[in-house]
């Protein structure tokens, strides 16, 4: 066995933890996390916020620390190694959409233990559009490697396998998954359950309280960008307002797909999500045009 490869990962982990301890500090805490949801515009929001002089984003967008056991056991200093040097008066943040809907909502418990006063932003999107966006992303992954989902599988769990027909028809993809849900089975590349936002948000609310959360609807960030970003600044109690400019060369919102959602599929998903959306709107005391 190559000794260099054997010791490289432990050495890198130690160096990473040391960097976090020296430059961020074990007693400091990250101030803000964008916890979700997947395919709802978290990348755009992350890039926008990093242009504000008072907001310092992590060195990589999706750290996935609190829901990844292999990373989490390395400790807080390892987590802090993903951030630039800590300076007083600045707000440090990261964005990991997987925190909202991980297995058994373990991130919620771990984030609370890490910083019970942390502020969180949740981006939402019409769950039907979100599902279609996720489907297109997974189709791209499948075309590159038909076994792409293997690395995402939860150990010791049995999955129904997707095939060419799934990745050739959004309608079939949805129906196949709904059949699995009705039979209480797991299926590869699930996209439907991620749109049941209420399930996870309710758990976070019960743990932290509603005051620590701010919500942004994807289409509103697109159509009223400056207004929504200034609301984030108010949420964070930052006095300094800026003229927001998106970094050049960065795609803000993607989603121009060759084919759309057919009427039957849209109706199937609309019926499925209706009770969950209603419960969510009641919890948030607001309603989106879904």
């Amino acid at each position: 066995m190559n000794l260099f490869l054997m010791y490289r990962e432990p050495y890198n982990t130690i160096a990473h933890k040391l960097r976090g301890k020296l430059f961020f500090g074990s007693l400091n805490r990250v101030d803000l996390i964008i916890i979700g949801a997947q395919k709802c515009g978290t990348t755009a929001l992350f890039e926008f916020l990093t242009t504000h002089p008072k907001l310092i984003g992590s060195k990589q967008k999706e750290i996935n620390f609190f829901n990844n056991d292999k990373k989490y056991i390395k400790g807080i200093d390892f987590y802090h190694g993903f951030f630039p040097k800590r300076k007083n008066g600045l707000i440090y943040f990261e964005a990991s959409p997987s925190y909202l809907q991980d297995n058994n909502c373990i991130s919620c418990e771990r984030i609370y233990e890490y910083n019970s006063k942390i502020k969180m932003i949740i981006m939402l999107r019409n769950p039907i559009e979100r599902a279609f966006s996720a489907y297109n992303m997974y189709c791209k992954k499948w075309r590159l490697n038909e076994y792409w989902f293997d690395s995402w599988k939860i150990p010791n769990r049995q999955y129904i396998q997707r095939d060419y027909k799934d990745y050739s028809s959004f309608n079939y993809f949805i129906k196949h998954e709904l059949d699995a849900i009705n039979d209480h089975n797991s299926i590869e590349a699930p996209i439907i359950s991620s749109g049941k936002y209420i399930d996870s948000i309710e758990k976070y609310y019960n743990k932290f309280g509603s005051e620590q959360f701010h919500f942004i609807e994807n289409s509103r960030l697109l159509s009223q960008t400056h207004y929504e970003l200034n609301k984030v600044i108010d949420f964070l109690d930052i006095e300094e307002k800026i003229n927001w400019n998106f970094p050049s060369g960065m795609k803000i919102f993607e989603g121009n797909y060759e084919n759309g959602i057919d009427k039957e599929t849209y109706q199937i998903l609309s019926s499925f999500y209706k009770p969950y959306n209603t419960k969510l709107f009641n919890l948030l005391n607001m309603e989106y045009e879904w």
Side-chain angles (χ1 to χ4, degrees), residues 58-176:
S58 54
K59 296 176 182 178
Q60 70 181 57
K61 184 220 168 191
E62 297 187 31
I63 300 176
N64 298 319
F65 173 76
F66 293 103
N67 65 328
N68 185 312
D69 290 342
K70 291 181 179 180
K71 290 182 179 179
Y72 187 73
I73 61 173
K74 295 179 180 180
I76 290 174
D77 289 329
F78 177 80
Y79 178 54
H80 289 165
F82 287 97
F83 295 87
K85 185 176 181 180
R86 185 85 191 198
K87 296 181 181 180
N88 293 332
L90 302 180
I91 292 176
Y92 289 75
F93 74 99
E94 65 132 319
S96 295
S98 59
Y99 293 161
L100 187 62
Q101 292 167 313
D102 56 22
N103 188 35
N104 296 322
C105 214
I106 187 65
S107 296
C108 177
E109 300 295 330
R110 289 174 172 176
I111 293 172
Y112 186 85
E113 182 179 348
Y114 168 75
N115 182 5
S116 62
K117 302 299 182 182
I118 199 166
K119 290 190 174 183
M120 286 168 279
I121 296 176
I122 299 177
M123 290 205 63
L124 300 175
R125 183 180 185 180
N126 183 321
I128 301 174
E129 296 176 1
R130 195 223 66 83
F132 187 58
S133 180
Y135 168 74
N136 280 276
M137 178 179 69
Y138 292 164
C139 283
K140 290 179 181 178
K141 291 180 179 292
W142 179 79
R143 293 187 191 105
L144 293 173
N145 174 17
E146 62 180 298
Y147 303 107
W148 70 272
F149 189 73
D150 286 354
S151 62
W152 292 29
K153 291 179 178 178
I154 298 174
N156 302 318
R157 178 179 294 185
Q158 296 296 317
Y159 290 83
I160 296 173
Q161 187 175 0
R162 298 280 195 182
D163 56 25
Y164 175 81
K165 193 172 181 180
D166 285 277
Y167 292 103
S168 300
S169 167
F170 183 54
N171 181 277
Y172 182 81
F173 197 96
I174 291 300
K175 289 181 177 179
H176 197 181

Side-chain angles (χ1 to χ4, degrees), residues 33-51 57-64 93-98 121-125 130 133 137 216-218 221-222 225 229 244-255 257:
I33 302 181
I34 304 169
I35 64 171
Q38 182 208 47
K39 306 306 294 181
C40 290
T42 58
T43 298
L45 180 62
F46 180 86
E47 295 296 335
F48 272 126
L49 295 184
T50 57
T51 66
S58 54
K59 296 176 182 178
Q60 70 181 57
K61 184 220 168 191
E62 297 187 31
I63 300 176
N64 298 319
F93 74 99
E94 65 132 319
S96 295
S98 59
I121 296 176
I122 299 177
M123 290 205 63
L124 300 175
R125 183 180 185 180
R130 195 223 66 83
S133 180
M137 178 179 69
I216 306 175
E217 206 273 335
N218 174 271
L221 182 62
L222 173 61
T225 307
L229 291 175
W244 297 95
N245 291 301
F246 202 78
S248 60
M250 184 73 189
K251 293 182 179 178
I252 304 179
F253 297 95
E254 301 183 57
Y257 307 116

Side-chain angles (χ1 to χ4, degrees), residues 178-238:
L178 285 174
D179 287 341
I181 291 173
N182 291 333
D183 292 336
H184 305 287
N185 292 322
S186 297
I187 190 169
E188 293 180 344
I191 61 175
I192 294 177
S193 61
S194 294
K196 295 161 54 180
Y197 306 125
I198 181 63
D199 291 349
S200 300
I201 291 174
E202 201 166 41
K203 291 178 182 178
Y204 271 93
Y205 259 42
N206 290 337
K207 193 70 177 180
F208 289 88
S210 61
E211 298 80 9
Q212 290 172 233
F213 295 88
H214 179 72
F215 292 86
I216 306 175
E217 206 273 335
N218 174 271
S219 65
R220 296 185 183 181
L221 182 62
L222 173 61
S223 63
Q224 305 176 55
T225 307
H226 287 75
Y227 174 76
E228 292 296 338
L229 291 175
N230 284 332
K231 284 174 65 177
V232 172
I233 297 307
D234 291 338
F235 168 65
L236 298 174
D237 296 321
I238 297 175

